[in-house]
């Protein structure tokens, strides 16, 4: 995938979160660069560490609706 540094950083952040030092991370970029794969790898890592994982998918039409993806994840 060519994202070893990013994967390692995200794994380190999951370890920090388990120790009570959570942070927000934004993963953004052009279509097709591997954002979804990166998120799947992170979800697997979190699940293996007995962390709760909530996921949703953003829709192009919701682009102008603030927090639409977050709201979908929480419902």
């Amino acid at each position: 995938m060519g994202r070893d540094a990013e994967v390692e950083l995200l794994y380190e952040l999951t370890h920090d979160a388990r120790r009570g030092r959570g942070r927000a991370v934004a993963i953004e970029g052009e279509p097709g660069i591997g954002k979804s794969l990166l998120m799947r790898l992170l979800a697997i890592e979190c699940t293996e560490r007995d962390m709760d994982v909530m996921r949703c998918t953003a829709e192009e039409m919701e682009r102008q609706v603030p927090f639409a993806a977050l709201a979908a994840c929480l419902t």
Side-chain angles (χ1 to χ4, degrees):
M1 178 171 74
R3 300 238 180 252
D4 293 339
E6 290 87 349
V7 170
E8 183 61 32
L9 174 61
L10 290 171
Y11 285 0
E12 288 175 19
L13 292 174
T14 62
H15 298 288
D16 287 349
R18 293 271 300 156
R19 293 182 193 105
R21 295 185 309 251
R23 289 176 242 167
V25 176
I27 298 176
E28 58 185 4
E30 298 298 318
I33 64 168
K35 297 180 303 290
S36 296
L37 177 58
L38 196 58
M39 293 305 299
R40 278 194 296 275
L41 292 173
L42 184 58
I44 291 168
E45 177 74 8
C46 289
T47 301
E48 289 176 354
R49 299 197 172 281
D50 294 324
M51 299 171 77
D52 293 329
V53 176
M54 296 189 316
R55 300 169 68 171
C56 68
T57 303
E59 300 291 334
E60 184 69 29
M61 294 182 348
E62 297 172 337
R63 193 173 190 164
Q64 301 302 321
V65 180
F67 305 108
L70 182 59
C73 187
L74 297 174
T75 58

